[in-house]
Amino acid sequence: MNWWSCWKLNSLLTSRGSRMMNYDLDMAAENSSSGSPFWDNFCIPSHILVPDSKVQTVAHIPVCPVLVFVNSKSGGQLGVNLLVTYRALLNENQVFDLGQESPDKVLSRIYTNLEKLKLEGNEPAARIQETLKIIVAGGDGTAGWLLGVVSDLKLPHPPAIATVPLGTGNNLPFAFGWGKKNPGTDRQSVEAFLEQVMKAEEMKIDSWHILMRMRAPREGSFDPIAPLELPHSLHAFGRVSSSDELNMEGCHTFRGGFWNYFSMGMDAQVSYAFHSERNSHPEKFKNQLVNQSTYMKLVGTQGWFFSSLFQSNSKNIAQLAKVKIMNREGQWQHLHIPHSIKSIICLNLPSFSGGLNPWGTTRRSKGDFTPPYVDDGLIEVVGFRDAWHGLLLLAPSGHGTRLAQAQRIHFEFHKGATDHTYMRIDGEPWKQPLPTDNDTVVVEISHLRQVKVLATHDCKSRSIHRPLITGNHDTQEDDSPEEESIPEGEEWRKFGAADTFKIPDEVDIARFS
């Protein structure tokens, strides 16, 4: 077959595929507008979504009304395709592109309208507010953004959130049973996902506040903080304002929060190298498989496999910082960290680096430790010596070195043998300068509040209220001794909708002075 024949055949197939896709979307739109029983379960009337619009007579109140937020820049073309499909199948006013409008503005507008309609005696508005759910499609950064917004806005009847995995790591979706592979974007895939949403259970999860303070550099630029350069996509941190009660003259103070984990040491160093490489050569990072293989190569080239043999003890966590924890009784105590530990992870959810569980699984108390729950107000602290140690996580009952379960953690860095370390929050790494004189760098993690998520029957996370919600993966008894391209904008640097995080009242601010 010559090139002309090949070109004509390809054009014919492309044209046919395009017509079939358009036909599918047209049929979906027709089903939606004509009142298909399945889509009626999810579609929200326009007068609920658009303030001051004409109130419609509602024949059928949706049993599972949803607001859909899609990061159109996630997953390559997947985000765009998913946006098109959802808008064709549902009311287009209930589907939002996060690159065009921030969720805090959307939710504030819709909930204000819901309250207004309720005061007017609108029964559908009251029912929809009570049963409303959110679907967010993107990576962990996008999912964390929505969780933070819902948490910060303190909405009446706050909606539970289901996450569609469109990122690289997808730890948040995986932790609650939504998978970690990029999903299909066609009508059948969306319909299957919505069926799961309708059957999913609500689960509360803890969120964690993080505060970081360091002395302003005596030389160099103050913004960005030389040599500290927090990445633009680091949604978890924001600099406190000059009027904030935590502001201290001559210091840089940051506050924020996270849902999944905070890590420090070698694993964050590898992640930092990966993000730097991706920023320098974005054309090389087109899909999950390439991203993950590149990440594994960097694990080797950064010396993570043989760090215990060839790297200086100055990179050991015990050499870098003094660590204190607040135990279950509310008492501060020193945390002993073995000198061989080169990476420490403060873990809230049982999913790290694409689905691994550093703490491991257990159905009974072992010594001072209890089974990990996502809503018990405790965070698990785990250590690793090197990547070989990390390979234990591939075993059914493997885990890292369990160090503590704490209500609060306090890291204090003093002048030492190294001038920097690496830190990471929910997949976002940065290079953190350490003191070179008698100053200190302080990082403190404390429990903040809770938010609701939706969990499937395959959920890996465990709740103190629903200890049996987990699937078969987490029922073994343990007897052994991410990322995405995020639209730029100031709101992405916040943990949620608020400009700053409110510190819990019980936090002793004076200790940071």
Side-chain angles (χ1 to χ4, degrees), residues 322-336:
K322 293 180 180 179
V323 185
K324 294 190 298 183
I325 63 167
M326 180 178 285
N327 59 25
R328 290 179 175 84
E329 291 72 37
Q331 300 173 333
W332 284 101
Q333 62 186 49
H334 170 73
L335 177 63
H336 170 71

Side-chain angles (χ1 to χ4, degrees), residues 336-441:
H336 170 71
I337 300 176
H339 285 283
S340 60
I341 297 298
K342 284 187 164 58
S343 183
I344 192 169
I345 302 167
C346 303
L347 189 72
N348 187 43
L349 304 179
S351 183
F352 174 81
S353 289
L356 299 177
N357 185 355
W359 184 264
T361 58
T362 176
R363 288 170 59 90
R364 64 186 183 191
S365 298
K366 298 185 75 66
D368 294 331
F369 301 134
T370 59
Y373 298 110
V374 298
D375 55 352
D376 59 359
L378 298 174
I379 195 166
E380 282 67 44
V381 187
V382 194
F384 287 92
R385 300 184 300 273
D386 50 33
W388 294 114
H389 192 189
L391 290 178
L392 289 175
L393 301 183
L394 300 177
S397 58
H399 58 81
T401 300
R402 294 167 178 160
L403 300 172
Q405 290 174 305
Q407 293 183 19
R408 192 173 300 164
I409 309 169
H410 180 88
F411 297 90
E412 194 168 296
F413 302 87
H414 295 273
K415 179 180 178 181
T418 184
D419 61 358
H420 68 273
T421 187
Y422 296 87
M423 297 181 181
R424 181 163 64 144
I425 291 180
D426 286 357
E428 302 291 349
W430 73 96
K431 185 177 180 178
Q432 173 62 45
L434 297 181
T436 56
D437 47 30
N438 293 327
D439 290 331
T440 61
V441 171

Side-chain angles (χ1 to χ4, degrees), residues 23 28 66 122 140 158 176 185 209 217 236 238 295 322 403:
Y23 174 78
V66 295
N122 190 290
D140 287 329
F176 299 104
T185 60
H209 178 270
Y295 195 93
K322 293 180 180 179
L403 300 172

Side-chain angles (χ1 to χ4, degrees), residues 67 79 165 206 234 325 347-348 358 371 387 410 482 509:
L67 297 177
D206 296 322
L234 185 60
I325 63 167
L347 189 72
N348 187 43
H410 180 88
E482 287 266 46
I509 298 173

Side-chain angles (χ1 to χ4, degrees), residues 203 350 361-364 371-375 459-464 466-470 474:
M203 177 187 287
T361 58
T362 176
R363 288 170 59 90
R364 64 186 183 191
Y373 298 110
V374 298
D375 55 352
C459 177
K460 306 297 182 293
S461 301
R462 301 174 68 183
S463 165
I464 56 176
R466 292 184 177 88
L468 299 180
I469 193 173
T470 53
D474 285 343

Side-chain angles (χ1 to χ4, degrees), residues 101-139:
E101 192 170 14
S102 60
D104 52 310
K105 295 179 180 178
V106 171
L107 291 174
S108 296
R109 181 177 69 242
I110 291 175
Y111 270 79
T112 298
N113 193 45
L114 282 170
E115 289 296 316
K116 173 178 173 291
L117 291 171
K118 282 171 58 181
L119 289 175
E120 295 172 355
N122 190 290
E123 176 64 19
R127 292 271 299 276
I128 286 172
Q129 186 184 71
E130 292 175 358
T131 57
L132 186 65
K133 295 175 174 59
I134 286 177
I135 295 172
V136 52

Side-chain angles (χ1 to χ4, degrees), residues 195-397:
E195 283 184 320
Q196 282 189 298
V197 170
M198 195 155 48
K199 298 175 183 176
E201 295 187 55
E202 291 187 1
M203 177 187 287
K204 288 186 177 181
I205 64 171
D206 296 322
S207 66
W208 293 86
H209 178 270
I210 182 166
L211 180 143
M212 181 168 67
R213 170 169 289 150
M214 69 200 76
R215 285 286 175 186
R218 297 177 181 178
E219 298 179 359
S221 170
F222 279 71
D223 197 6
I225 306 167
L228 177 64
E229 294 183 2
L230 297 178
H232 289 296
S233 57
L234 185 60
H235 62 283
F237 268 127
R239 188 196 301 246
V240 302
S241 67
S242 58
S243 60
D244 193 286
E245 60 185 358
L246 288 178
N247 180 60
M248 183 182 296
E249 187 176 355
C251 289
H252 292 298
T253 304
F254 295 84
R255 64 200 304 190
F258 65 94
W259 305 95
N260 197 357
Y261 65 86
F262 165 84
S263 69
M264 178 177 64
M266 277 301 304
D267 81 285
Q269 179 177 339
V270 173
S271 180
Y272 181 80
F274 173 83
H275 277 252
S276 299
E277 182 73 13
R278 183 165 63 176
N279 289 338
S280 300
H281 305 284
E283 72 280 357
K284 296 181 180 179
F285 298 83
K286 297 285 188 178
N287 57 63
Q288 274 186 320
L289 184 60
V290 172
N291 293 354
Q292 291 166 355
S293 62
T294 302
Y295 195 93
M296 288 307 299
K297 289 178 183 177
L298 288 170
V299 169
T301 58
Q302 292 288 316
W304 188 206
F305 275 109
F306 301 100
S307 60
S308 58
L309 296 176
F310 300 114
Q311 291 195 352
S312 167
N313 288 336
S314 65
K315 293 185 180 294
N316 295 356
I317 301 299
Q319 295 289 102
L320 292 175
K322 293 180 180 179
V323 185
K324 294 190 298 183
I325 63 167
M326 180 178 285
N327 59 25
R328 290 179 175 84
E329 291 72 37
Q331 300 173 333
W332 284 101
Q333 62 186 49
H334 170 73
L335 177 63
H336 170 71
I337 300 176
H339 285 283
S340 60
I341 297 298
K342 284 187 164 58
S343 183
I344 192 169
I345 302 167
C346 303
L347 189 72
N348 187 43
L349 304 179
S351 183
F352 174 81
S353 289
L356 299 177
N357 185 355
W359 184 264
T361 58
T362 176
R363 288 170 59 90
R364 64 186 183 191
S365 298
K366 298 185 75 66
D368 294 331
F369 301 134
T370 59
Y373 298 110
V374 298
D375 55 352
D376 59 359
L378 298 174
I379 195 166
E380 282 67 44
V381 187
V382 194
F384 287 92
R385 300 184 300 273
D386 50 33
W388 294 114
H389 192 189
L391 290 178
L392 289 175
L393 301 183
L394 300 177
S397 58

